[in-house]
Amino acid sequence: MTLTDPVVPAPAKATAPPEVGRALPHEAAVLHVTGRALYTDDVAIGLRGVLHAHPVSSPHAHARITRLEVAPAYAVAGVVRVLTAADVPGVNDAGIKHDEPLFPEVAMFHGHAVAWVLGESLEAARLGAAAVEVDYEPLPAVVTVREAIEQQSFQGARPVLERGDVAAGLATSAHVIEGEFEFAGQEHFYLETHASYAVVEDDGQVFVQSSTQHPTETQEIVAHVLGLASHQVTVQCLRMGGGFGGKEMQPHGFAAIAALGASLTGRPVRVRLTRRQDMTMTGKRHGFHASWRVGFDDDGRLQALEATLTADGGWSLDLSEPVLSRALCHIDNAYWLPHLRVDGRIARTNKTSQTAFRGFGGPQGMIVIEDILGRCAPVLGLAPEELRRRNLYIEGQATPYGQPVRHAERLARAWEQVLTGSGFAERRAAVASSNAQNPHRKRGLAITPVKFGISFNFTAFNQAGALVHVYKDGSVLINHGGTEMGQGLHTKMRQVAATALGLPYERVRLAPTRTDKVPNTSATAASSGADLNGAAVKDACEQILARLVPVRALAGPDASWEEVVQRAYLERVQLWAAGYYRTEGLTWDATAMRGTPFKYFAYGVAAAEVEVDAFTGAYRVCRVDVVHDVGDSLSPLIDLGQIEGGLVQGIGWLTLEDLRWDDADGPARGRLLTAGASTYKVPSLSELPAELNVALLERATEDGVVHGSKAVGEPPFMLAFCVREALRDAVAAFAPAEDGASRRPVELASPATPEAVYWAVQEVRSWTG
């Protein structure tokens, strides 16, 4: 028999039990906890002859550079080179919108790098940077989003999302309420700060290792700064010590500095920011200002919403336009709004260029409607949980941008499961009883839903590639376009490949993400890493299996996987494949804000109980119950970790993490005041709920995605709304027992820090009927 003879197809893959669905630990967990996991700077610091880069930073939030004298830096021992705009052989820009000069003529925020110094040691580079002489002409600085609104300081697109007739909807509403709301951004605070190093190889090729979520875009930016074609630059991402969106766009400039320095000196160059530099120089989650009018009928059902969302974009556009677009697309969260008009705009302020962060605008849109419902429930005389329940989407309804809300019954099922499993009704009575007996300590209880769209808003990004190699001994190496930042993507990809080939998990290994292995990749973002790359890996494996079908017939039904692979090699059958996947069914008109931008919606529901101390505003999260929809989980232990981590990070954004800039009219105007762990509070073990119960929604298979799974990176972040709303509920319990006092809305700052909660309690206690 030969390969050209007709054969009866037999399964080509091995027969190990499926690895998809197994609760496996993170593939690098042991390396992480023992300190053996290598990150970008671990490799860079060991390079022979490596030079160290340090920025020359602007002490002004907005100032024109009138003189830049680098000669004094060369008098510092160990200084090798000072990089300025004159050294750039290509394009002096590090942004995809061409509005982020790598070496600016005008400093646009406090800490903006105007030059970089390369030294034999980091200390030499630091001293050299201090020696560079720069004269500035200070210019007026816009620091707050309210100042930007007053001065009409805007940039980028001004999208409008509209459905129905909002004026008519408000006119016919039984209750019309209006308000405004300003809420803060958030620092990414990944454990590994931004890091890159670059080496020029013997043929002039530039190799860059970067802590980047988007190696292809890093490659493109480095290439155009150096005046090279993309094939002359290779970018590798070994792994990241956290990213959360902060390494999607922001790494490109730092990689370009390393590459430029390496090109000019012929030596390896490393760029690694200190924590203070990272917080001072890099973008954060967008803060927003929202103004709104909302209408309800007599039953508390939403009739119309008119709102304006203003995102604080910082000094340049970065990803502010798609962030704003997603915010508008998620202002409905999980609620039916028959009439709606939302105007969006991006403020230009003299701060860091704000960027992607877990949820990518979704949380900022969703918090607006959750804040509206939390404020309006007492005015309408309804319990907040009942107001939310009455307005949940049901099957057959569509979003304001026209996408049908598929599987809305899962939302209702998760809602009921949380109510029942948490004993919500019984605990509501217990909370009321406790509050009646404790004048200075009150408890609050709340339940909130999540509906989050999965896919990139920019349709072209919804594609992925993978490369799968089967070696002669039957072992497998896979390379895909996604990057690993601790979220467990590589673990899932190994499980997908092992299941597709019928192999044990241990027979599959991951190679670092590199642009010369899988080109033209999309960022690992939008919670789509497993959906896109998993499908591409599966496609490559299936191509190989198809080629092995006739080989299996030759080798015999009892042949092992290794024997089939060895026979395939002898028969000159290709044992590697390039897989590809594109998400089907997506359409999006960014101008009209209409279409089907998401492959599906991920659903979740969470309930929280908190306790607030009136004397200090301090509080503790007593309990959180979660039911979350991940479809058929690829890796349950990884997914549980993502749900718990997302929830806690969301609690941080809503209750702890308070970004502060100096907005006084002084020499430090625009300086970030919370530029380190001593002044910026991130969640720790002490902020974890005392009791945390997480369940994955059952009977939730998703059609048309890899193994019926759903994305899990971003949606759990918004589960934290229940904690903020529970704090509002607890604050409301301090209202005096007078007629009418309980019908007033409780306004709560975001973040609801203990200080903010204290002042909210004082406000409520001052109410009279």
Side-chain angles (χ1 to χ4, degrees), residues 124-136:
R126 185 187 70 81
L127 293 173
V132 172
E133 297 176 3
V134 189
D135 290 341
Y136 297 92

Side-chain angles (χ1 to χ4, degrees), residues 492-515:
K492 289 185 173 183
M493 296 305 95
R494 288 178 64 184
Q495 288 178 272
V496 168
T499 299
L501 298 172
L503 294 173
Y505 176 78
E506 295 75 15
R507 293 290 276 164
V508 180
R509 188 175 76 82
L510 250 296
T513 309
R514 286 175 61 112
T515 57

